[in-house]
Amino acid sequence: MSKAGRLVVLVSGSGTNLQALLDASADPSYGARVVAVGADRDGIEGLARATKANVPTFVEKLSDHATRADWDAALAAEIASYEPDLVVSAGFMKILGAPTLDAFPVLNTHPALLPSFPGAHGVRDALAHGVKVTGCTVMLADAGVDTGPIVAQEAVPVLPEDDEPVLHERIKTVERRLLVDIVGRMAREGWTVSGRIVRIGNQSGGEST
């Protein structure tokens, strides 16, 4: 497709990346708009942010379904009802199943320079390893954990006085800006995927997504 105009954003917590996308999409020239926000739990700030912005919301709790497969199918059906061009996992703390990943391109972020330090503790693991530079990654999600094709990355220096919360906050600031930039570019310019290579814009070759 040439344009990712309709965004469904999935959240599990405070929704700071969601807010950045809501703020950016208020400008018509951004090229994309958030048409729904989904969550896996009630009562979170991310849902409140969506409601304040008059964006529809939905909640699919894993505990409301007999099996994980049932939840996967229900979540995919809920997302599909909003006809998204792109799904953004913005701090969503569940691994998405095949019904969602097979139906939609899903953009995800990670607070490290993949393939280094995947998983739930990317910032902690980078500090423990003693790296001098870490950063953030925007990727297209696949069935693995932080293994999808990389769309963009940005480096963040590790300072001598950094602990995990301080470094993570600095990474998140960069991550929000990078995510907003990449979603907007994908919306306006389109993108292609060839193997693990993601190209934004009208470059020839690759499989259009």
Side-chain angles (χ1 to χ4, degrees):
M1 67 182 60
S2 62
K3 199 165 187 178
R6 296 175 61 86
L7 308 177
V8 169
V9 182
L10 303 178
V11 297
S12 291
S14 63
T16 53
N17 280 350
L18 165 64
Q19 188 64 57
L21 289 168
L22 289 169
D23 292 345
S25 62
D27 182 349
S29 68
Y30 184 61
R33 62 192 178 95
V34 180
V35 298
V37 173
D40 61 338
R41 64 197 70 187
D42 292 312
I44 59 172
E45 181 62 22
L47 292 174
R49 291 177 189 272
T51 299
K52 185 177 180 180
N54 296 314
V55 173
T57 63
F58 62 90
V59 177
E60 283 293 343
K61 298 179 184 177
L62 184 58
S63 60
D64 288 343
H65 298 277
T67 67
R68 181 64 178 252
D70 289 342
W71 177 80
D72 286 335
L75 179 65
E78 193 74 65
I79 293 170
S81 70
Y82 293 97
E83 301 180 338
D85 298 307
L86 184 66
V87 176
V88 181
S89 178
F92 192 61
M93 299 307 292
K94 294 285 191 297
I95 296 175
L96 296 171
T100 295
L101 295 174
D102 291 347
F104 317 102
V106 179
L107 208 61
N108 196 9
T109 62
H110 182 69
L113 294 175
L114 295 172
S116 296
F117 312 116
H121 305 293
V123 179
R124 183 186 309 170
D125 293 343
L127 278 171
H129 201 74
V131 299
K132 306 308 179 189
V133 176
T134 185
C136 57
T137 300
V138 177
M139 80 203 92
L140 288 168
D142 63 8
V145 177
D146 300 325
T147 56
I150 292 169
V151 181
Q153 294 179 302
E154 188 163 334
V156 174
V158 179
L159 305 179
E161 64 272 18
D162 278 342
D163 59 17
E164 184 179 357
V166 169
L167 178 57
H168 201 174
E169 193 58 42
R170 204 160 66 250
I171 292 172
K172 287 192 289 187
T173 299
V174 174
E175 179 184 88
R176 283 191 290 271
R177 175 173 50 76
L178 185 62
L179 179 64
V180 167
D181 175 63
I182 291 301
V183 169
R185 289 183 58 204
M186 291 172 75
R188 296 186 302 270
E189 303 172 38
W191 73 96
T192 59
V193 182
S194 179
R196 292 195 56 83
I197 306 302
V198 182
R199 294 182 175 89
I200 298 176
N202 297 319
Q203 298 101 327
S204 61
E207 175 188 354
S208 181
T209 56

